[in-house]
């Protein structure tokens, strides 16, 4: 969008003075909601970030925060656009009916959908009715969801909202979208880059090896001359 001073306000995924440059999109999204940052999300509606309330700890061993949805109106969580060409799965956890949430009475399941055209149309990937113990779901991505720009959305089309807050609330947690880099194979601050069949680690200075686990040995090749000790 053009601002009054003549500058351009770029949409997500574009940059430059005239928004003509396509920004590189991340190929992996991991969010355990250990903070309230929304840098990986386009929007969150009908819910709020919490560490002290909500339905339950939604994944085994997960004790950080989560997004709790229990408000009126639309309930949805939409990711930023991702480069999923080399991704393979989406993993997430839903919970309801325990902790601060009363008996679950949803009019519909929570749907996971995806869009490869910036949200103009959406395709269903899976749907789940949240469980009181926290249901972990792993869904494989079809070819239509493995594109250079794909966003994902969890949403609940219909829900019951009575006079009691949290009557049909549910929690979303432990989001993982990607491929080989999901297991965090690169060490010592290296960047993991996914490929069609595997991954490659871009090591920080001073580290080497396929996973950047080995320190660079500066004495390799005997650089010191005239009997000096390296």
């Amino acid at each position: 969008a053009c601002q009054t001073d003549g500058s351009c306000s770029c949409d997500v995924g574009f940059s430059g003075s005239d928004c003509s440059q396509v920004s590189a999109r991340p190929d992996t999204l991991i969010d355990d909601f250990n903070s309230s940052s929304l840098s990986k999300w386009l929007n969150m509606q009908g819910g709020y970030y919490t560490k002290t309330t909500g339905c339950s700890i939604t994944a085994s061993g997960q004790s950080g925060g989560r997004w709790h949805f229990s408000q009126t109106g639309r309930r949805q969580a939409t990711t930023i656009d991702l480069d999923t060409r080399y991704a393979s799965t989406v993993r997430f956890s839903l919970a309801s009916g325990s902790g601060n949430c009363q008996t679950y009475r949803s009019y519909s399941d929570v749907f996971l959908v995806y869009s490869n055209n910036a949200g103009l149309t959406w395709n269903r990937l899976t749907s789940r009715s949240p469980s009181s113990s926290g249901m972990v779901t792993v869904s494989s991505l079809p070819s239509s969801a493995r594109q250079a720009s794909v966003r994902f959305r969890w949403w609940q089309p219909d829900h019951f909202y009575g006079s009691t807050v949290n009557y049909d609330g549910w929690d979303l947690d432990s989001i993982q979208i990607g491929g080989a880099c999901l297991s965090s194979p690169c060490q010592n601050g290296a960047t993991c880059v996914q490929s069609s069949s595997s991954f490659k680690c871009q090591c920080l200075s001073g580290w080497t090896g396929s996973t950047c686990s080995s320190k660079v040995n500066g004495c390799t090749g005997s650089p010191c001359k005239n009997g000096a000790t390296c």
Side-chain angles (χ1 to χ4, degrees):
C2 187
Q3 307 300 304
T4 55
D5 61 358
S7 63
C8 295
S9 176
C10 303
D11 291 336
V12 175
F14 297 91
S15 61
S17 59
D18 59 355
C19 302
S20 62
Q21 301 175 20
V22 179
S23 302
R25 294 179 174 83
D27 58 12
T28 300
L29 188 151
I30 300 175
D31 203 340
D32 288 328
F33 298 122
N34 290 322
S35 76
S36 59
S37 171
L38 289 177
S39 61
K40 301 174 183 178
W41 301 86
L42 289 176
N43 64 56
M44 291 280 193
Q45 290 181 272
Y48 57 88
Y49 175 77
T50 179
K51 285 188 174 182
T52 59
T53 61
C55 300
S56 68
I57 296 175
T58 60
S60 177
Q62 175 67 28
S63 58
R66 58 265 190 197
W67 274 89
H68 176 66
F69 295 86
S70 62
Q71 299 173 357
T72 57
R74 177 169 294 185
R75 297 177 180 177
Q76 66 176 4
T78 308
T79 70
I80 59 174
D81 291 315
L82 304 171
D83 183 346
T84 56
R85 287 175 293 179
Y86 304 131
S88 57
T89 59
V90 176
R91 181 185 186 275
F92 61 96
S93 181
L94 291 173
S96 71
S98 61
N100 276 12
C101 293
Q102 299 181 31
T103 304
Y104 185 76
R105 279 188 59 183
S106 170
Y107 286 175
S108 75
D109 292 348
V110 176
F111 289 79
L112 171 59
V113 295
Y114 66 91
S115 173
N116 52 25
N117 56 14
L120 294 177
T121 58
W122 296 90
N123 305 287
R124 175 178 170 177
L125 187 59
T126 188
S127 62
R128 289 291 182 269
S129 177
S131 69
S132 60
S133 60
M135 175 185 292
V136 176
T137 299
V138 179
S139 295
S140 297
L141 295 180
S143 58
S144 57
R146 301 174 67 180
Q147 306 291 330
S149 181
V150 178
R151 64 183 63 171
F152 296 85
R153 179 177 68 166
W154 286 261
W155 74 301
Q156 190 178 31
D158 300 294
H159 55 81
F160 177 84
Y161 186 88
S163 59
T164 304
V165 175
N166 292 328
Y167 188 76
D168 67 338
W170 50 277
D171 289 346
L172 177 65
D173 198 4
S174 304
I175 310 297
Q176 295 185 5
I177 305 172
C181 289
L182 283 178
S183 61
S184 302
C186 302
Q187 303 177 36
N188 300 304
T191 300
C192 183
V193 179
Q194 296 181 147
S195 66
S196 58
S197 59
S198 185
F199 65 91
K200 181 180 180 180
C201 296
Q202 297 177 342
C203 303
L204 295 179
S205 178
W207 297 94
T208 186
S210 60
T211 60
C212 306
S213 59
S214 302
K215 285 188 176 181
V216 173
N217 185 354
C219 292
T220 299
S222 302
C224 302
K225 308 300 182 183
N226 302 310
T229 301
C230 183

